[in-house]
Amino acid sequence: MEQGMTTEENEKATRQISLRPFVLSDVDDFMVWASDDKVSKFCSWDTYTNKDDLLKYMKETVLPHPWFRAICVGGRPVGAISVILGSGNDRCRGELGYVLGSGYWGKGIVTAAVRLVVASIFMEVEGLERVEALVDVTNKASQRVLEKVGFHKEGVLRKY
Ligand SMILES: CC(C)(COP(=O)(O)OP(=O)(O)OC[C@H]1O[C@@H](n2cnc3c(N)ncnc32)[C@H](O)[C@@H]1OP(=O)(O)O)[C@@H](O)C(=O)NCCC(=O)NCCS
């Protein structure tokens, strides 16, 4: 049992959210977090400043992606969670990534989303044995999310 949130709060967060594939008409909701410097700060992409660039990213990367889901509250996307699946000899591994609109931080939403993903992905993806995540050493909130779900810190990748 993790500290911070009560079981009831955790269950509430889990009940509140659903995961589903994105559709192109989600672009305006996606833009809310993609255009927020607070969100992109710890991510490998630059803050989006125009909708066309985001539409291109959605068409080329998000929609064809085998495991890229919208985190929805009340059916509306407020964030995203993905697992990049390895290929060939690496197909036993998946790399988890997630983002959430800053207006929704601190409510247990991503913890609940990661829980849903790890509860189902090993059954959904044949041959998957490990899900890993890379987190900036200063991104304490993200480290805490992983810790709460039961991930174990395995090391620090220097100058990664
Ligand atoms: C990191 C992020 C995904 C967390 O999502 P979230 O839904 O707010 O997370 P949760 O509410 O489920 O849990 C956050 C936990 O971190 C803790 N936390 C938040 N800021 C913290 C900080 N600066 N130091 C230590 N802990 C912190 C919260 O208290 C909470 O723990 P608790 O339940 O024990 O109190 C969200 O802030 C985000 O999208 N950030 C920008 C993108 C990003 O960093 N993505 C991850 C890249 S690896």
Side-chain angles (χ1 to χ4, degrees):
M1 171 65 208
E2 67 257 22
Q3 294 160 348
M5 290 187 131
T6 62
T7 309
E8 202 181 320
E9 283 168 333
N10 270 307
E11 283 171 0
K12 191 172 165 218
T14 307
R15 275 199 307 275
Q16 258 188 346
I17 68 153
S18 56
L19 305 181
R20 65 155 170 82
F22 278 96
V23 289
L24 221 44
S25 56
D26 292 324
V27 64
D28 290 322
D29 289 325
F30 204 131
M31 194 67 184
V32 172
W33 68 85
S35 63
D36 185 343
D37 289 330
K38 291 193 292 297
V39 174
S40 63
K41 181 179 171 199
F42 288 118
C43 297
S44 55
W45 41 270
D46 293 327
T47 309
Y48 281 82
T49 53
N50 78 75
K51 194 168 149 179
D52 286 342
D53 289 345
L54 184 59
L55 271 171
K56 186 169 183 285
Y57 172 68
M58 287 182 77
K59 279 181 198 157
E60 291 178 3
T61 305
V62 176
L63 302 191
H65 195 293
W67 223 99
F68 201 120
R69 302 283 186 268
I71 302 172
C72 299
V73 171
R76 201 162 174 176
V78 294
I81 189 158
S82 65
V83 180
I84 298 173
L85 299 167
S87 59
N89 285 341
D90 294 333
R91 68 181 179 277
C92 55
R93 278 194 296 279
E95 188 187 325
L96 182 66
Y98 40 75
V99 283
L100 184 69
S102 55
Y104 291 86
W105 288 1
K107 300 175 192 297
I109 290 176
V110 171
T111 301
V114 174
R115 280 216 174 92
L116 288 175
V117 171
V118 296
S120 65
I121 196 144
F122 291 98
M123 286 174 278
E124 282 178 39
V125 180
E126 201 188 330
L128 188 69
E129 291 182 29
R130 170 187 166 98
V131 172
E132 59 194 12
L134 294 168
V135 182
D136 191 289
V137 283
T138 61
N139 192 350
K140 299 297 176 197
S142 183
Q143 290 169 38
R144 181 76 186 120
V145 165
L146 294 169
E147 183 184 51
K148 287 193 287 181
V149 179
F151 282 70
H152 297 284
K153 182 173 174 179
E154 292 184 340
V156 176
L157 304 175
R158 287 166 215 288
K159 295 192 177 182
Y160 186 82

